[in-house]
């Protein structure tokens, strides 16, 4: 086994958090329009939910613990918010 597989999804989680932070920085600097930023945040959040599930399902957090259940619930909430953001973008993209 490699070192990355032993970490159980943590590198993936860190990568998506850094990507989400990069989108936030670019929006704050004015390099991203608001509608495009909403789309990118929605995409980042859906992939972040996947990474959270990788950490909890046989990853770094033991199964059956309260932290595992909390992270699973957080992953579901993050997924719903991400899909909602992409749905908002889908409706708002043709309004301009």
């Amino acid at each position: 086994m490699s070192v990355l597989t032993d970490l159980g999804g943590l590198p993936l989680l860190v990568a998506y958090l850094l990507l989400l932070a990069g989108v936030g920085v670019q929006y704050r600097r004015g390099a991203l329009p608001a509608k495009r930023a909403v789309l990118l945040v929605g995409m980042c959040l859906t992939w972040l939910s996947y990474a959270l599930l990788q950490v909890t399902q046989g990853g770094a957090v033991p199964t059956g613990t309260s932290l595992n259940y909390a992270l699973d619930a957080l992953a579901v909430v993050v997924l719903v918010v991400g899909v909602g953001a992409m749905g908002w973008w889908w409706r708002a993209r043709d309004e301009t």
Side-chain angles (χ1 to χ4, degrees):
M1 294 226 150
S2 73
V3 174
L4 291 178
T5 57
D6 291 340
L7 292 176
L10 283 176
L12 191 62
L13 181 66
V14 170
Y16 289 132
L17 284 173
L18 288 174
L19 188 62
L20 187 61
V23 168
V25 166
Q26 291 298 315
Y27 173 73
R28 189 79 172 131
R29 289 183 178 171
L32 282 175
K35 288 183 183 178
R36 176 65 56 97
V38 169
L39 172 66
L40 293 175
V41 166
M43 290 169 41
C44 288
L45 289 177
T46 55
W47 283 104
L48 184 64
S49 70
Y50 172 75
L52 281 170
L53 290 174
Q54 292 299 310
V55 169
T56 59
Q57 304 302 317
V61 178
T63 305
T65 61
S66 58
L67 179 61
N68 186 301
Y69 295 134
L71 288 177
D72 282 342
L74 179 64
V76 170
V77 169
V78 167
L79 178 65
V80 168
V81 171
V83 169
M86 288 189 295
W88 178 88
W89 173 82
W90 182 263
R91 287 188 311 270
R93 67 187 159 91
D94 293 328
E95 291 179 4
T96 55

